[in-house]
Amino acid sequence: MKKKILVIGSLNMDFLIETDKIPAPGETVLGHSVGHIPGGKGANQAYAAGKLDGNVSMIGAVGDDPYGKELIRSLTSAGVDTSGIEVCRDTPTGQAYIALDSSGENSIIVIPGANQSVTPELIQKHMALVDSCDYILTQFEIPLDTVRYVKDLALQKGKRLIVDPAPAVPGLEMDFWEGVSIVKPNETELALLTGQKMSSREDYIEGARSLIGKGAGTVVLTLGKTGCIAVTREKADFYPAHVVKTVDTTAAGDSFTAALAIALSEGADTEKAVSFAQAVCAVVVTRKGAQSSIPARSELKGGDVLSR
Ligand code: RIB
């Protein structure tokens, strides 16, 4: 029987603005187009895990508006159980404004809206989803107090917890990491979380080890085009990224986290799980948008290292 994955996190409608250049402070630039695409770090993880054939449910919140309905429809189309998504009458669906330049770089502003309604009380309402799952995935686009509650709940109920600390916040108490199975920051997030300046691979490993020293199991640090490093107490392994033509990195980190969870839930070791996640990301970055860029498992072909 498939292990169950529960995502607790955000849903946003993304407004993707394409432009040659992302404006600097005080600058005005002309863009080419604007369109809306389902996104949100939590929803992207749930959608990706669903497309990768996982048994997935999500706890989150949207507004009672057309964007909320579209986000739920998108998750349902990927096979995600959306019964834990609350529809709030008095708050709009979360929105993200994404400027994407011609080199594939982006900058994002998120208006949280209904994501602020993801409270411990909402999670308690859907405790059956928590009780029945094996893995919990969460991120930092919902209130931090809720993330802390999710962490305590995961430990108390013996669930494996994967934390994607994005967007990272400085000053998070270091005992937060005690008992977290996997942390998946990128280099900027790791620097913010640890308060350390980092420029070399050794710095990154040392930063990752400081989270491990506080009780995290494994830190999988993504380094964009360069690759990633999986760090445990005993070792640190570097995995170079696939070489592809990047058009948009939106949702790459979210898909990576989801793919890691899928692989681990299917019994893969860290090495295989990272290879699978990298194969998924290698597709995501070649397509525009968040959920619009996430492949079905059947599209991975040779990249589906779990089926070999
Ligand atoms: O990680 C990508 C996501 O970040 C986007 O889909 C956007 O909604 C923001 O939350």
Side-chain angles (χ1 to χ4, degrees):
M1 213 171 72
K2 275 187 191 169
K3 294 242 163 73
K4 290 191 179 174
I5 296 172
L6 171 64
V7 179
I8 302 179
S10 58
L11 301 98
N12 296 326
M13 186 52 76
D14 290 354
F15 294 86
L16 180 67
I17 302 157
E18 290 188 57
T19 172
D20 286 338
K21 181 182 181 293
I22 294 171
E27 187 183 18
T28 300
V29 298
L30 294 183
H32 303 300
S33 64
V34 57
H36 72 274
I37 298 169
K41 295 186 192 304
N44 294 343
Q45 290 180 5
Y47 182 91
K51 295 292 274 186
L52 296 171
D53 294 346
N55 183 343
V56 193
S57 51
M58 179 167 183
I59 297 177
V62 292
D64 187 8
D65 49 38
Y67 295 141
K69 289 191 180 68
E70 199 174 331
L71 283 159
I72 292 176
R73 258 200 314 273
S74 180
L75 290 178
T76 307
S77 76
V80 177
D81 170 2
T82 59
S83 61
I85 298 178
E86 186 82 358
V87 178
C88 306
R89 295 202 174 284
D90 48 357
T91 333
T93 296
Q95 299 178 15
Y97 290 83
I98 304 179
L100 172 69
D101 75 12
S102 39
S103 70
E105 288 297 328
N106 66 28
S107 65
I108 306 181
I109 297 177
V110 174
I111 312 290
N115 295 309
Q116 295 290 356
S117 307
V118 184
T119 56
E121 291 69 35
L122 178 66
I123 295 164
Q124 282 153 16
K125 198 169 146 188
H126 298 287
M127 202 52 88
L129 292 176
V130 176
D131 285 329
S132 64
C133 81
D134 301 285
Y135 286 80
I136 298 178
L137 269 60
T138 196
Q139 335 71 33
F140 288 179
E141 272 185 346
I142 54 174
L144 256 193
D145 282 345
T146 307
V147 178
R148 290 187 183 97
Y149 173 79
V150 169
K151 188 231 135 162
D152 291 342
L153 197 60
L155 289 200
Q156 184 195 320
K157 292 188 178 274
K159 311 294 177 186
R160 293 202 72 191
L161 178 64
I162 303 182
V163 176
D164 188 340
V169 280
L172 184 72
E173 59 284 359
M174 281 304 259
D175 67 359
F176 174 83
W177 303 109
E178 177 67 51
V180 175
S181 310
I182 297 181
V183 190
K184 194 228 68 74
N186 62 25
E187 63 271 57
T188 323
E189 290 154 0
L190 185 66
L192 261 169
L193 292 170
T194 59
Q196 292 168 19
K197 283 213 170 75
M198 296 173 189
S199 54
S200 67
R201 207 176 284 180
E202 289 67 37
D203 294 344
Y204 297 140
I205 294 171
E206 195 185 314
R209 288 244 161 85
S210 70
L211 302 188
I212 292 168
K214 297 292 174 191
T218 303
V219 176
V220 182
L221 172 68
T222 50
L223 301 167
K225 277 184 177 149
T226 313
C228 69
I229 312 176
V231 186
T232 60
R233 210 173 270 280
E234 297 77 32
K235 58 182 190 151
D237 293 323
F238 173 71
Y239 300 83
H242 295 220
V243 179
V244 291
K245 176 150 180 24
T246 298
V247 300
D248 182 5
T249 58
T250 309
D254 308 328
S255 310
F256 187 99
T257 304
L260 267 187
I262 289 288
L264 296 170
S265 76
E266 292 184 13
D269 59 16
T270 306
E271 191 182 335
K272 248 192 171 172
V274 169
S275 300
F276 182 67
Q278 288 188 310
V280 173
C281 280
V283 178
V284 171
V285 299
T286 62
R287 301 174 179 175
K288 284 184 189 161
Q291 288 167 34
S292 51
S293 69
I294 297 170
R297 185 141 176 186
S298 55
E299 292 177 77
L300 296 179
K301 301 187 182 95
D304 187 356
V305 295
L306 305 179
S307 304
R308 284 185 203 152

